[in-house]
Every structure is written in C-alpha cells, then in structure tokens.
Amino acid sequence: MLRHAAIISLFPLLLLAAPASAATKAQKMETCKFGADDQKLTGAKRNAFIARCMSNKDDKRGQAPKSGGGPAPYGSYQ
C-alpha cells in the first residue's frame, strides 16, 4: 500500500520532467514520407514536399503581418 502511494505521488513529477510532445527528426521524417505517399508524390515533387515538411514552414495561414502599416486596433484613438 505504501509503495503504491509513493508511486502515485511521484507520477506528476515524472510527467513534468518528460517533454510534452517532442518529435525526433526521424519521427518527423516518417510523418513527412507518409504525407508524400498519401498524395502519391514522386520525383522532384516528393523531394520538395518532404523538404518543406521537414522545415516546419508548411503553415497554410501564411506569414505573420509585419508591425505597423495595418489598421488600428478596435478602440484605439489615433
């Protein structure tokens, strides 16, 4: 009983020490290859897809707007 209580009390500390969702480079490559296979890509298109996937620049939202030049936030007096 005491052993179970000790394990249960230490479990949250072990969770804090472990990385939340760290993917290794090999795991990322597997995911990118799966995506290329799913789209049936070959040759240069496959290589370009995998390179873009591995670079983490595959954001469909585009780049963040640069500071300034945009409309004023709601409620600001300028």
Side-chain angles (χ1 to χ4, degrees), residues 14-57:
L14 293 174
L15 287 177
L16 289 175
S21 62
T24 64
K25 196 171 187 177
Q27 290 170 334
K28 180 74 173 169
M29 180 59 88
E30 286 180 34
T31 302
C32 294
K33 284 183 178 180
F34 180 82
D37 291 341
D38 187 49
Q39 295 180 23
K40 297 176 177 66
L41 298 175
T42 59
K45 288 184 180 182
R46 179 185 176 89
N47 292 340
F49 175 84
I50 291 175
R52 189 178 67 233
C53 178
M54 291 294 290
S55 69
N56 288 331
K57 294 181 182 177

Side-chain angles (χ1 to χ4, degrees), residues 57-65:
K57 294 181 182 177
D58 196 24
D59 191 357
K60 292 180 173 51
R61 297 175 293 174
Q63 292 184 353

Side-chain angles (χ1 to χ4, degrees), residues 1-11:
M1 177 78 170
L2 185 59
R3 183 183 316 167
H4 294 291
I7 291 172
I8 291 171
S9 65
L10 291 176
F11 188 69

